[in-house]
Amino acid sequence: ALRIVVCGCAPLPTATANMSSARPFPTRQNLQIMKLKLVGAKKGHSLLKKKADALTMRLRALLTTILKAKEAMGKAFKDGNFAMAEVKYAAGDIKSAIIESVGTAQKRVETRVDNIAGVKVPVFKAVDMADAPVDYTGLARGGQQVTKARQTFSACVDTLIQLATLQTSFLILDEAIKVTSRRVNALDTVVIPRIAGFVDYIVSELDELEREEFFRLKRSQDKKKKDLQLAEAERLKEIAADDAGSLIGGGDDPDVIY
């Protein structure tokens, strides 16, 4: 009996984290945070792009191997059917006798997990158990043809298990490439431009605030200079008026004593 168990892999998240469309408050701290987010988004985009390229290359290599495995499987089953025809010709219908003689499975399937650029894919391997003696009780003739057919179908099972590994890996990698491509496109067309827009907005607002502060300080300094000039002019007027009064002689002269 041949039993193949395919390990289910956890589905990858397909949606990127939602970013708030509201513009951040223009401060130096928010500007630094957005710059760090932009650097992280660009680095993530680069890594995901490399991952997608690596998975695509592995998928193309798997496709070539799958085509060769399918051709080998077709040839193996062709040889198996021909060997089965020889058995029927030599020994007749031996189905019931073979079923009664089978006790345990002569092949088992071991499963391990392979990691391809962060994507876990199952790998199946056929393991031959200890060869039990073949009981040909009840067969009048055709023992040699039965042994040949047994070996041929054993090779067919090996090819089938190899093809199962390749097909499973192909499906998992294909889905992983779709998810990774969606993430790359989302970063390239949505996330990175949005964060860059936030950075440009904060920089422009901070520049505008600096211009406003500079203009306010300049106006304040101009007003202070004007006030100082007016105060100086008033002081000069008062001094001039005092000097003019003393020259006219508005006061009494002191007595002179001889």
Side-chain angles (χ1 to χ4, degrees):
L2 178 63
R3 183 174 298 175
I4 299 176
V5 179
V6 180
C7 299
C9 297
L12 297 173
T14 58
T16 57
N18 294 326
M19 294 183 59
S20 176
S21 59
R23 291 180 175 179
F25 192 75
T27 60
R28 296 289 179 185
Q29 182 178 4
N30 286 337
L31 178 60
Q32 188 67 19
I33 292 174
M34 286 299 166
K35 284 184 177 179
L36 291 176
K37 285 185 177 181
L38 183 60
V39 172
K42 289 182 178 179
K43 186 176 181 180
H45 176 270
S46 176
L47 293 176
L48 287 176
K49 184 68 175 175
K50 292 179 181 179
K51 177 181 178 179
D53 294 339
L55 292 178
T56 302
M57 292 178 60
R58 185 62 180 267
L59 188 69
R60 291 176 180 174
L62 274 179
L63 184 60
T64 304
T65 309
I66 286 174
L67 291 177
K68 293 181 180 179
K70 285 187 175 181
E71 293 177 357
M73 185 183 67
K75 184 178 182 301
F77 275 97
K78 180 180 178 181
D79 295 340
N81 290 330
F82 185 74
M84 195 65 187
E86 289 181 346
V87 170
K88 289 184 178 181
Y89 178 78
D93 189 6
I94 60 172
K95 181 178 180 180
S96 58
I98 294 297
I99 293 176
E100 290 178 359
S101 64
V102 172
T104 58
Q106 299 300 313
K107 282 186 179 294
R108 298 295 177 92
V109 177
E110 291 183 354
T111 305
R112 62 181 178 87
V113 178
D114 193 8
N115 193 332
I116 303 175
V119 180
K120 295 181 179 181
V121 295
V123 178
F124 307 125
K125 180 182 178 181
V127 178
D128 292 327
M129 307 303 292
D131 291 335
V134 182
D135 186 10
Y136 293 126
T137 304
L139 295 179
R141 59 188 183 278
Q144 183 178 0
Q145 284 77 12
V146 171
T147 302
K148 180 181 178 182
R150 180 173 177 272
Q151 295 174 353
T152 303
F153 276 101
S154 178
C156 291
V157 171
D158 293 338
T159 306
L160 187 62
I161 292 174
Q162 179 188 6
L163 184 60
T165 300
L166 295 174
Q167 290 281 75
T168 306
S169 301
F170 182 86
L171 293 176
I172 294 175
L173 289 179
D174 183 57
E175 184 64 25
I177 289 174
K178 291 179 182 178
V179 173
T180 306
S181 299
R182 286 197 294 267
R183 290 178 177 176
V184 171
N185 293 333
L187 286 173
D188 191 21
T189 59
V190 178
V191 178
I192 293 178
R194 182 178 296 176
I195 297 177
F198 288 162
V199 172
D200 295 338
Y201 165 73
I202 294 175
V203 170
S204 63
E205 289 295 319
L206 291 178
D207 291 341
E208 184 66 24
L209 290 175
E210 289 181 358
R211 286 192 294 268
E212 291 178 358
E213 183 67 17
F214 177 76
F215 181 74
R216 186 184 66 81
L217 293 175
K218 187 175 180 181
R219 288 292 300 272
S220 178
Q221 291 177 355
D222 292 341
K223 188 176 183 302
K224 288 181 180 180
K225 289 180 180 180
K226 188 175 181 181
D227 292 341
L228 290 174
Q229 291 175 356
L230 290 176
E232 184 67 19
E234 291 293 334
R235 190 179 66 83
L236 292 176
K237 284 181 181 180
E238 291 177 358
I239 293 174
D242 294 340
D243 291 342
S246 62
L247 291 176
I248 294 173
D252 297 332
D253 292 333
D255 295 334
V256 176
I257 300 175
Y258 294 96

